[in-house]
Amino acid sequence: MAKSLSNALLMGLTGLTAARSSRIACGSLNGIGSRYFATVPNDPDTHDDFKPKNKIENSGISLADLVEQDVKENPVMLYMKGVPEFPQCGFSSLAVRVLKHYNVPISSRNILEDAELKSAVKAYSHWPTFPQIFIKGEFIGGSDIIMNMHQSGELKEKLKDVAANSDKTA
Amino acid sequence: MASRAAIAMLSRAQRIKSNLQSALEASLLEIEDVSHQHASHAAVRASGSDGETHFNVKIVSTKFEGKSLVNRHRMVYDALADELQSGLHALSIVAKTPQEIAKK
């Protein structure tokens, strides 16, 4: 689990299958893979868990731009506590469960790992709590709202033209 | 000790109630402290507080008319900005208009 969490940090985005894929595969996923890998120290004695966690900042892109990029490049973007495989909060867990129902690729970031990212996301969406769900670049809301939309059928409408989650072969 | 904690919890709930009442002119307002349901939550443990972190809020107001769920929730969050800065951790919000309540 530690490895998958640190992979999540290094790769930035975790798709449902991406957590198990290699770093190279995730690099090609967003086309600017080199930024995510630029600061990995070569020190073989450094365990993943001890590597600097604010890798995102070091890559030269501002957090605000990163959030903007996240939501524009990923049809379903979830900022949550923990990761989809291991949520660390009941509301985040609920959001994951609801979204998984629709067989769409879910990209996520664990905001517990990076306090500055957490602030940047809050500022971007003007929303103080997590989880936060973005669909096709639009801020949808938190777990209450996503559950509400799921029950009313609105969520199905919103996700209808999002490509089904197929196995990434990259 | 227990009574002090009880009074403290009452204060947060009361503050939430009065902030929402004045900001949103609620015709119905129900606040419930459910912090104990989240007591094992990592962030609650870390902040060291005994409660007052998670609340259920049910609010009915004409000010929600014509507004999407996201905007209604934003109005609630904006009214409680101070509380959110001072340890209020999460809100489960039900925000309805009087017409929507009447329909049920």
PDB file of all heavy atoms in Angstrom, chain A residues 72-107:
ATOM      1  N   LYS A  72      -9.277  19.916 -16.598  1.00  0.00           N
ATOM      2  CA  LYS A  72      -9.545  20.015 -18.036  1.00  0.00           C
ATOM      3  C   LYS A  72      -9.168  18.737 -18.765  1.00  0.00           C
ATOM      4  O   LYS A  72      -9.809  18.355 -19.740  1.00  0.00           O
ATOM      5  CB  LYS A  72      -8.796  21.201 -18.625  1.00  0.00           C
ATOM      6  CG  LYS A  72      -9.401  22.507 -18.159  1.00  0.00           C
ATOM      7  CD  LYS A  72      -9.019  23.699 -18.993  1.00  0.00           C
ATOM      8  CE  LYS A  72      -9.936  24.856 -18.606  1.00  0.00           C
ATOM      9  NZ  LYS A  72      -9.234  26.101 -18.450  1.00  0.00           N
ATOM     10  N   GLU A  73      -8.121  18.076 -18.295  1.00  0.00           N
ATOM     11  CA  GLU A  73      -7.637  16.902 -19.021  1.00  0.00           C
ATOM     12  C   GLU A  73      -8.346  15.620 -18.635  1.00  0.00           C
ATOM     13  O   GLU A  73      -8.238  14.608 -19.321  1.00  0.00           O
ATOM     14  CB  GLU A  73      -6.130  16.740 -18.791  1.00  0.00           C
ATOM     15  CG  GLU A  73      -5.333  17.835 -19.470  1.00  0.00           C
ATOM     16  CD  GLU A  73      -3.839  17.613 -19.327  1.00  0.00           C
ATOM     17  OE1 GLU A  73      -3.442  16.627 -18.672  1.00  0.00           O
ATOM     18  OE2 GLU A  73      -3.098  18.435 -19.870  1.00  0.00           O
ATOM     19  N   ASN A  74      -8.993  15.639 -17.490  1.00  0.00           N
ATOM     20  CA  ASN A  74      -9.631  14.412 -17.025  1.00  0.00           C
ATOM     21  C   ASN A  74     -11.132  14.601 -16.944  1.00  0.00           C
ATOM     22  O   ASN A  74     -11.595  15.476 -16.232  1.00  0.00           O
ATOM     23  CB  ASN A  74      -9.084  14.036 -15.655  1.00  0.00           C
ATOM     24  CG  ASN A  74      -7.591  13.799 -15.708  1.00  0.00           C
ATOM     25  OD1 ASN A  74      -7.133  12.844 -16.291  1.00  0.00           O
ATOM     26  ND2 ASN A  74      -6.828  14.709 -15.114  1.00  0.00           N
ATOM     27  N   PRO A  75     -11.890  13.775 -17.650  1.00  0.00           N
ATOM     28  CA  PRO A  75     -13.347  13.971 -17.645  1.00  0.00           C
ATOM     29  C   PRO A  75     -13.942  13.836 -16.245  1.00  0.00           C
ATOM     30  O   PRO A  75     -14.904  14.526 -15.905  1.00  0.00           O
ATOM     31  CB  PRO A  75     -13.887  12.871 -18.573  1.00  0.00           C
ATOM     32  CG  PRO A  75     -12.753  11.965 -18.854  1.00  0.00           C
ATOM     33  CD  PRO A  75     -11.485  12.674 -18.538  1.00  0.00           C
ATOM     34  N   VAL A  76     -13.353  12.953 -15.438  1.00  0.00           N
ATOM     35  CA  VAL A  76     -13.810  12.837 -14.064  1.00  0.00           C
ATOM     36  C   VAL A  76     -12.602  13.033 -13.152  1.00  0.00           C
ATOM     37  O   VAL A  76     -11.656  12.252 -13.197  1.00  0.00           O
ATOM     38  CB  VAL A  76     -14.443  11.446 -13.788  1.00  0.00           C
ATOM     39  CG1 VAL A  76     -14.907  11.353 -12.341  1.00  0.00           C
ATOM     40  CG2 VAL A  76     -15.593  11.187 -14.736  1.00  0.00           C
ATOM     41  N   MET A  77     -12.623  14.106 -12.379  1.00  0.00           N
ATOM     42  CA  MET A  77     -11.483  14.417 -11.502  1.00  0.00           C
ATOM     43  C   MET A  77     -11.980  14.515 -10.074  1.00  0.00           C
ATOM     44  O   MET A  77     -12.926  15.247  -9.778  1.00  0.00           O
ATOM     45  CB  MET A  77     -10.864  15.750 -11.936  1.00  0.00           C
ATOM     46  CG  MET A  77      -9.632  16.119 -11.152  1.00  0.00           C
ATOM     47  SD  MET A  77      -8.250  15.024 -11.519  1.00  0.00           S
ATOM     48  CE  MET A  77      -7.381  15.031  -9.969  1.00  0.00           C
ATOM     49  N   LEU A  78     -11.336  13.749  -9.206  1.00  0.00           N
ATOM     50  CA  LEU A  78     -11.777  13.675  -7.817  1.00  0.00           C
ATOM     51  C   LEU A  78     -10.637  14.065  -6.884  1.00  0.00           C
ATOM     52  O   LEU A  78      -9.580  13.430  -6.894  1.00  0.00           O
ATOM     53  CB  LEU A  78     -12.223  12.225  -7.540  1.00  0.00           C
ATOM     54  CG  LEU A  78     -12.566  11.789  -6.125  1.00  0.00           C
ATOM     55  CD1 LEU A  78     -13.765  12.563  -5.604  1.00  0.00           C
ATOM     56  CD2 LEU A  78     -12.872  10.304  -6.102  1.00  0.00           C
ATOM     57  N   TYR A  79     -10.828  15.118  -6.130  1.00  0.00           N
ATOM     58  CA  TYR A  79      -9.867  15.462  -5.077  1.00  0.00           C
ATOM     59  C   TYR A  79     -10.433  14.889  -3.791  1.00  0.00           C
ATOM     60  O   TYR A  79     -11.534  15.246  -3.368  1.00  0.00           O
ATOM     61  CB  TYR A  79      -9.690  16.978  -4.964  1.00  0.00           C
ATOM     62  CG  TYR A  79      -8.979  17.563  -6.143  1.00  0.00           C
ATOM     63  CD1 TYR A  79      -9.673  18.175  -7.170  1.00  0.00           C
ATOM     64  CD2 TYR A  79      -7.589  17.471  -6.251  1.00  0.00           C
ATOM     65  CE1 TYR A  79      -9.017  18.684  -8.272  1.00  0.00           C
ATOM     66  CE2 TYR A  79      -6.928  17.982  -7.350  1.00  0.00           C
ATOM     67  CZ  TYR A  79      -7.642  18.584  -8.357  1.00  0.00           C
ATOM     68  OH  TYR A  79      -6.992  19.086  -9.446  1.00  0.00           O
ATOM     69  N   MET A  80      -9.674  13.991  -3.202  1.00  0.00           N
ATOM     70  CA  MET A  80     -10.237  13.241  -2.077  1.00  0.00           C
ATOM     71  C   MET A  80      -9.217  13.032  -0.981  1.00  0.00           C
ATOM     72  O   MET A  80      -8.033  13.371  -1.127  1.00  0.00           O
ATOM     73  CB  MET A  80     -10.726  11.876  -2.572  1.00  0.00           C
ATOM     74  CG  MET A  80      -9.614  10.999  -3.135  1.00  0.00           C
ATOM     75  SD  MET A  80     -10.230   9.407  -3.728  1.00  0.00           S
ATOM     76  CE  MET A  80     -10.592   8.589  -2.182  1.00  0.00           C
ATOM     77  N   LYS A  81      -9.706  12.448   0.116  1.00  0.00           N
ATOM     78  CA  LYS A  81      -8.811  12.091   1.213  1.00  0.00           C
ATOM     79  C   LYS A  81      -8.477  10.618   1.055  1.00  0.00           C
ATOM     80  O   LYS A  81      -9.348   9.764   1.128  1.00  0.00           O
ATOM     81  CB  LYS A  81      -9.502  12.358   2.539  1.00  0.00           C
ATOM     82  CG  LYS A  81      -9.846  13.819   2.671  1.00  0.00           C
ATOM     83  CD  LYS A  81     -10.449  14.146   4.007  1.00  0.00           C
ATOM     84  CE  LYS A  81     -10.540  15.649   4.130  1.00  0.00           C
ATOM     85  NZ  LYS A  81     -11.068  16.059   5.416  1.00  0.00           N
ATOM     86  N   GLY A  82      -7.219  10.370   0.823  1.00  0.00           N
ATOM     87  CA  GLY A  82      -6.826   8.995   0.531  1.00  0.00           C
ATOM     88  C   GLY A  82      -6.871   8.779  -0.974  1.00  0.00           C
ATOM     89  O   GLY A  82      -6.893   9.732  -1.775  1.00  0.00           O
ATOM     90  N   VAL A  83      -6.872   7.524  -1.355  1.00  0.00           N
ATOM     91  CA  VAL A  83      -6.924   7.177  -2.777  1.00  0.00           C
ATOM     92  C   VAL A  83      -8.129   6.273  -3.002  1.00  0.00           C
ATOM     93  O   VAL A  83      -8.644   5.701  -2.048  1.00  0.00           O
ATOM     94  CB  VAL A  83      -5.621   6.461  -3.225  1.00  0.00           C
ATOM     95  CG1 VAL A  83      -4.456   7.426  -3.176  1.00  0.00           C
ATOM     96  CG2 VAL A  83      -5.344   5.242  -2.362  1.00  0.00           C
ATOM     97  N   PRO A  84      -8.585   6.142  -4.261  1.00  0.00           N
ATOM     98  CA  PRO A  84      -9.796   5.351  -4.499  1.00  0.00           C
ATOM     99  C   PRO A  84      -9.722   3.936  -3.918  1.00  0.00           C
ATOM    100  O   PRO A  84     -10.720   3.406  -3.446  1.00  0.00           O
ATOM    101  CB  PRO A  84      -9.906   5.317  -6.023  1.00  0.00           C
ATOM    102  CG  PRO A  84      -9.246   6.577  -6.462  1.00  0.00           C
ATOM    103  CD  PRO A  84      -8.125   6.807  -5.491  1.00  0.00           C
ATOM    104  N   GLU A  85      -8.522   3.362  -3.949  1.00  0.00           N
ATOM    105  CA  GLU A  85      -8.397   2.003  -3.416  1.00  0.00           C
ATOM    106  C   GLU A  85      -8.443   2.001  -1.893  1.00  0.00           C
ATOM    107  O   GLU A  85      -8.702   0.969  -1.285  1.00  0.00           O
ATOM    108  CB  GLU A  85      -7.064   1.374  -3.863  1.00  0.00           C
ATOM    109  CG  GLU A  85      -6.933   1.173  -5.366  1.00  0.00           C
ATOM    110  CD  GLU A  85      -6.535   2.446  -6.103  1.00  0.00           C
ATOM    111  OE1 GLU A  85      -6.180   3.439  -5.440  1.00  0.00           O
ATOM    112  OE2 GLU A  85      -6.603   2.451  -7.336  1.00  0.00           O
ATOM    113  N   PHE A  86      -8.156   3.143  -1.300  1.00  0.00           N
ATOM    114  CA  PHE A  86      -8.064   3.212   0.162  1.00  0.00           C
ATOM    115  C   PHE A  86      -8.461   4.600   0.641  1.00  0.00           C
ATOM    116  O   PHE A  86      -7.613   5.401   1.029  1.00  0.00           O
ATOM    117  CB  PHE A  86      -6.628   2.886   0.599  1.00  0.00           C
ATOM    118  CG  PHE A  86      -6.524   2.559   2.064  1.00  0.00           C
ATOM    119  CD1 PHE A  86      -6.966   1.336   2.560  1.00  0.00           C
ATOM    120  CD2 PHE A  86      -5.985   3.484   2.961  1.00  0.00           C
ATOM    121  CE1 PHE A  86      -6.882   1.052   3.916  1.00  0.00           C
ATOM    122  CE2 PHE A  86      -5.893   3.203   4.322  1.00  0.00           C
ATOM    123  CZ  PHE A  86      -6.341   1.986   4.792  1.00  0.00           C
ATOM    124  N   PRO A  87      -9.759   4.927   0.599  1.00  0.00           N
ATOM    125  CA  PRO A  87     -10.189   6.257   1.047  1.00  0.00           C
ATOM    126  C   PRO A  87      -9.992   6.403   2.546  1.00  0.00           C
ATOM    127  O   PRO A  87     -10.133   5.432   3.301  1.00  0.00           O
ATOM    128  CB  PRO A  87     -11.684   6.290   0.702  1.00  0.00           C
ATOM    129  CG  PRO A  87     -11.955   5.089  -0.124  1.00  0.00           C
ATOM    130  CD  PRO A  87     -10.876   4.093   0.163  1.00  0.00           C
ATOM    131  N   GLN A  88      -9.681   7.630   2.973  1.00  0.00           N
ATOM    132  CA  GLN A  88      -9.447   7.842   4.403  1.00  0.00           C
ATOM    133  C   GLN A  88     -10.531   8.660   5.065  1.00  0.00           C
ATOM    134  O   GLN A  88     -10.311   9.261   6.106  1.00  0.00           O
ATOM    135  CB  GLN A  88      -8.080   8.508   4.594  1.00  0.00           C
ATOM    136  CG  GLN A  88      -6.964   7.538   4.212  1.00  0.00           C
ATOM    137  CD  GLN A  88      -5.613   8.036   4.616  1.00  0.00           C
ATOM    138  OE1 GLN A  88      -5.446   8.565   5.702  1.00  0.00           O
ATOM    139  NE2 GLN A  88      -4.630   7.891   3.745  1.00  0.00           N
ATOM    140  N   CYS A  89     -11.679   8.684   4.435  1.00  0.00           N
ATOM    141  CA  CYS A  89     -12.770   9.478   4.988  1.00  0.00           C
ATOM    142  C   CYS A  89     -14.063   8.914   4.419  1.00  0.00           C
ATOM    143  O   CYS A  89     -14.112   8.523   3.253  1.00  0.00           O
ATOM    144  CB  CYS A  89     -12.558  10.936   4.598  1.00  0.00           C
ATOM    145  SG  CYS A  89     -14.048  11.917   4.451  1.00  0.00           S
ATOM    146  N   GLY A  90     -15.105   8.876   5.246  1.00  0.00           N
ATOM    147  CA  GLY A  90     -16.381   8.315   4.803  1.00  0.00           C
ATOM    148  C   GLY A  90     -16.967   9.037   3.610  1.00  0.00           C
ATOM    149  O   GLY A  90     -17.526   8.417   2.701  1.00  0.00           O
ATOM    150  N   PHE A  91     -16.840  10.356   3.567  1.00  0.00           N
ATOM    151  CA  PHE A  91     -17.418  11.122   2.459  1.00  0.00           C
ATOM    152  C   PHE A  91     -16.650  10.852   1.164  1.00  0.00           C
ATOM    153  O   PHE A  91     -17.247  10.728   0.088  1.00  0.00           O
ATOM    154  CB  PHE A  91     -17.406  12.622   2.763  1.00  0.00           C
ATOM    155  CG  PHE A  91     -18.204  12.992   3.986  1.00  0.00           C
ATOM    156  CD1 PHE A  91     -17.604  13.656   5.046  1.00  0.00           C
ATOM    157  CD2 PHE A  91     -19.549  12.684   4.076  1.00  0.00           C
ATOM    158  CE1 PHE A  91     -18.333  13.999   6.173  1.00  0.00           C
ATOM    159  CE2 PHE A  91     -20.290  13.025   5.205  1.00  0.00           C
ATOM    160  CZ  PHE A  91     -19.680  13.681   6.253  1.00  0.00           C
ATOM    161  N   SER A  92     -15.332  10.769   1.270  1.00  0.00           N
ATOM    162  CA  SER A  92     -14.518  10.446   0.084  1.00  0.00           C
ATOM    163  C   SER A  92     -14.832   9.049  -0.417  1.00  0.00           C
ATOM    164  O   SER A  92     -14.934   8.802  -1.618  1.00  0.00           O
ATOM    165  CB  SER A  92     -13.025  10.555   0.404  1.00  0.00           C
ATOM    166  OG  SER A  92     -12.651  11.904   0.555  1.00  0.00           O
ATOM    167  N   SER A  93     -14.998   8.143   0.532  1.00  0.00           N
ATOM    168  CA  SER A  93     -15.317   6.757   0.178  1.00  0.00           C
ATOM    169  C   SER A  93     -16.645   6.686  -0.568  1.00  0.00           C
ATOM    170  O   SER A  93     -16.785   5.991  -1.575  1.00  0.00           O
ATOM    171  CB  SER A  93     -15.369   5.935   1.464  1.00  0.00           C
ATOM    172  OG  SER A  93     -15.844   4.660   1.200  1.00  0.00           O
ATOM    173  N   LEU A  94     -17.608   7.460  -0.096  1.00  0.00           N
ATOM    174  CA  LEU A  94     -18.923   7.498  -0.730  1.00  0.00           C
ATOM    175  C   LEU A  94     -18.816   8.033  -2.152  1.00  0.00           C
ATOM    176  O   LEU A  94     -19.404   7.480  -3.085  1.00  0.00           O
ATOM    177  CB  LEU A  94     -19.865   8.381   0.106  1.00  0.00           C
ATOM    178  CG  LEU A  94     -21.275   8.556  -0.443  1.00  0.00           C
ATOM    179  CD1 LEU A  94     -21.995   7.231  -0.541  1.00  0.00           C
ATOM    180  CD2 LEU A  94     -22.066   9.504   0.448  1.00  0.00           C
ATOM    181  N   ALA A  95     -18.046   9.093  -2.326  1.00  0.00           N
ATOM    182  CA  ALA A  95     -17.885   9.680  -3.655  1.00  0.00           C
ATOM    183  C   ALA A  95     -17.292   8.658  -4.626  1.00  0.00           C
ATOM    184  O   ALA A  95     -17.748   8.516  -5.762  1.00  0.00           O
ATOM    185  CB  ALA A  95     -16.997  10.923  -3.583  1.00  0.00           C
ATOM    186  N   VAL A  96     -16.286   7.928  -4.168  1.00  0.00           N
ATOM    187  CA  VAL A  96     -15.654   6.911  -5.016  1.00  0.00           C
ATOM    188  C   VAL A  96     -16.670   5.836  -5.410  1.00  0.00           C
ATOM    189  O   VAL A  96     -16.783   5.457  -6.578  1.00  0.00           O
ATOM    190  CB  VAL A  96     -14.451   6.255  -4.299  1.00  0.00           C
ATOM    191  CG1 VAL A  96     -13.938   5.051  -5.080  1.00  0.00           C
ATOM    192  CG2 VAL A  96     -13.329   7.261  -4.118  1.00  0.00           C
ATOM    193  N   ARG A  97     -17.416   5.384  -4.422  1.00  0.00           N
ATOM    194  CA  ARG A  97     -18.392   4.320  -4.687  1.00  0.00           C
ATOM    195  C   ARG A  97     -19.443   4.748  -5.699  1.00  0.00           C
ATOM    196  O   ARG A  97     -19.822   3.981  -6.588  1.00  0.00           O
ATOM    197  CB  ARG A  97     -19.051   3.856  -3.392  1.00  0.00           C
ATOM    198  CG  ARG A  97     -18.315   2.680  -2.756  1.00  0.00           C
ATOM    199  CD  ARG A  97     -18.983   2.168  -1.507  1.00  0.00           C
ATOM    200  NE  ARG A  97     -18.789   3.047  -0.375  1.00  0.00           N
ATOM    201  CZ  ARG A  97     -19.735   3.398   0.486  1.00  0.00           C
ATOM    202  NH1 ARG A  97     -20.954   2.939   0.352  1.00  0.00           N
ATOM    203  NH2 ARG A  97     -19.470   4.219   1.483  1.00  0.00           N
ATOM    204  N   VAL A  98     -19.920   5.974  -5.546  1.00  0.00           N
ATOM    205  CA  VAL A  98     -20.938   6.466  -6.477  1.00  0.00           C
ATOM    206  C   VAL A  98     -20.365   6.542  -7.890  1.00  0.00           C
ATOM    207  O   VAL A  98     -20.971   6.073  -8.849  1.00  0.00           O
ATOM    208  CB  VAL A  98     -21.464   7.852  -6.035  1.00  0.00           C
ATOM    209  CG1 VAL A  98     -22.325   8.480  -7.112  1.00  0.00           C
ATOM    210  CG2 VAL A  98     -22.254   7.729  -4.740  1.00  0.00           C
ATOM    211  N   LEU A  99     -19.172   7.107  -8.012  1.00  0.00           N
ATOM    212  CA  LEU A  99     -18.581   7.271  -9.344  1.00  0.00           C
ATOM    213  C   LEU A  99     -18.243   5.934  -9.996  1.00  0.00           C
ATOM    214  O   LEU A  99     -18.396   5.774 -11.204  1.00  0.00           O
ATOM    215  CB  LEU A  99     -17.326   8.144  -9.248  1.00  0.00           C
ATOM    216  CG  LEU A  99     -17.595   9.624  -8.971  1.00  0.00           C
ATOM    217  CD1 LEU A  99     -16.301  10.353  -8.648  1.00  0.00           C
ATOM    218  CD2 LEU A  99     -18.294  10.296 -10.144  1.00  0.00           C
ATOM    219  N   LYS A 100     -17.821   4.983  -9.201  1.00  0.00           N
ATOM    220  CA  LYS A 100     -17.434   3.672  -9.754  1.00  0.00           C
ATOM    221  C   LYS A 100     -18.632   2.971 -10.387  1.00  0.00           C
ATOM    222  O   LYS A 100     -18.479   2.130 -11.268  1.00  0.00           O
ATOM    223  CB  LYS A 100     -16.849   2.787  -8.653  1.00  0.00           C
ATOM    224  CG  LYS A 100     -15.407   3.083  -8.375  1.00  0.00           C
ATOM    225  CD  LYS A 100     -14.761   1.985  -7.549  1.00  0.00           C
ATOM    226  CE  LYS A 100     -13.290   2.315  -7.362  1.00  0.00           C
ATOM    227  NZ  LYS A 100     -12.603   1.399  -6.478  1.00  0.00           N
ATOM    228  N   HIS A 101     -19.790   3.334  -9.931  1.00  0.00           N
ATOM    229  CA  HIS A 101     -21.024   2.763 -10.445  1.00  0.00           C
ATOM    230  C   HIS A 101     -21.170   2.950 -11.949  1.00  0.00           C
ATOM    231  O   HIS A 101     -21.834   2.185 -12.636  1.00  0.00           O
ATOM    232  CB  HIS A 101     -22.176   3.448  -9.708  1.00  0.00           C
ATOM    233  CG  HIS A 101     -23.515   2.857  -9.955  1.00  0.00           C
ATOM    234  ND1 HIS A 101     -23.983   1.746  -9.280  1.00  0.00           N
ATOM    235  CD2 HIS A 101     -24.494   3.210 -10.817  1.00  0.00           C
ATOM    236  CE1 HIS A 101     -25.185   1.455  -9.717  1.00  0.00           C
ATOM    237  NE2 HIS A 101     -25.534   2.328 -10.638  1.00  0.00           N
ATOM    238  N   TYR A 102     -20.520   4.020 -12.478  1.00  0.00           N
ATOM    239  CA  TYR A 102     -20.763   4.401 -13.858  1.00  0.00           C
ATOM    240  C   TYR A 102     -19.723   3.925 -14.854  1.00  0.00           C
ATOM    241  O   TYR A 102     -19.769   4.291 -16.023  1.00  0.00           O
ATOM    242  CB  TYR A 102     -20.898   5.941 -13.947  1.00  0.00           C
ATOM    243  CG  TYR A 102     -22.150   6.426 -13.258  1.00  0.00           C
ATOM    244  CD1 TYR A 102     -22.134   6.762 -11.909  1.00  0.00           C
ATOM    245  CD2 TYR A 102     -23.348   6.500 -13.945  1.00  0.00           C
ATOM    246  CE1 TYR A 102     -23.293   7.168 -11.269  1.00  0.00           C
ATOM    247  CE2 TYR A 102     -24.509   6.916 -13.315  1.00  0.00           C
ATOM    248  CZ  TYR A 102     -24.476   7.234 -11.977  1.00  0.00           C
ATOM    249  OH  TYR A 102     -25.611   7.638 -11.336  1.00  0.00           O
ATOM    250  N   ASN A 103     -18.765   3.145 -14.393  1.00  0.00           N
ATOM    251  CA  ASN A 103     -17.773   2.601 -15.324  1.00  0.00           C
ATOM    252  C   ASN A 103     -17.099   3.687 -16.154  1.00  0.00           C
ATOM    253  O   ASN A 103     -16.975   3.580 -17.372  1.00  0.00           O
ATOM    254  CB  ASN A 103     -18.432   1.560 -16.257  1.00  0.00           C
ATOM    255  CG  ASN A 103     -17.393   0.745 -17.004  1.00  0.00           C
ATOM    256  OD1 ASN A 103     -16.313   0.474 -16.488  1.00  0.00           O
ATOM    257  ND2 ASN A 103     -17.705   0.365 -18.230  1.00  0.00           N
ATOM    258  N   VAL A 104     -16.695   4.767 -15.472  1.00  0.00           N
ATOM    259  CA  VAL A 104     -15.932   5.812 -16.151  1.00  0.00           C
ATOM    260  C   VAL A 104     -14.544   5.880 -15.515  1.00  0.00           C
ATOM    261  O   VAL A 104     -14.388   5.522 -14.354  1.00  0.00           O
ATOM    262  CB  VAL A 104     -16.619   7.199 -16.018  1.00  0.00           C
ATOM    263  CG1 VAL A 104     -17.862   7.271 -16.864  1.00  0.00           C
ATOM    264  CG2 VAL A 104     -16.932   7.527 -14.563  1.00  0.00           C
ATOM    265  N   PRO A 105     -13.543   6.320 -16.275  1.00  0.00           N
ATOM    266  CA  PRO A 105     -12.217   6.450 -15.674  1.00  0.00           C
ATOM    267  C   PRO A 105     -12.227   7.555 -14.623  1.00  0.00           C
ATOM    268  O   PRO A 105     -12.738   8.646 -14.867  1.00  0.00           O
ATOM    269  CB  PRO A 105     -11.327   6.834 -16.862  1.00  0.00           C
ATOM    270  CG  PRO A 105     -12.237   7.338 -17.911  1.00  0.00           C
ATOM    271  CD  PRO A 105     -13.573   6.729 -17.684  1.00  0.00           C
ATOM    272  N   ILE A 106     -11.717   7.266 -13.457  1.00  0.00           N
ATOM    273  CA  ILE A 106     -11.681   8.249 -12.380  1.00  0.00           C
ATOM    274  C   ILE A 106     -10.241   8.651 -12.131  1.00  0.00           C
ATOM    275  O   ILE A 106      -9.401   7.802 -11.839  1.00  0.00           O
ATOM    276  CB  ILE A 106     -12.264   7.655 -11.077  1.00  0.00           C
ATOM    277  CG1 ILE A 106     -13.709   7.214 -11.290  1.00  0.00           C
ATOM    278  CG2 ILE A 106     -12.184   8.669  -9.935  1.00  0.00           C
ATOM    279  CD1 ILE A 106     -14.254   6.409 -10.117  1.00  0.00           C
ATOM    280  N   SER A 107      -9.944   9.935 -12.266  1.00  0.00           N
ATOM    281  CA  SER A 107      -8.621  10.430 -11.903  1.00  0.00           C
ATOM    282  C   SER A 107      -8.746  11.093 -10.543  1.00  0.00           C
ATOM    283  O   SER A 107      -9.726  11.764 -10.265  1.00  0.00           O
ATOM    284  CB  SER A 107      -8.143  11.451 -12.925  1.00  0.00           C
ATOM    285  OG  SER A 107      -8.093  10.846 -14.188  1.00  0.00           O
TER     286      SER A 107
END
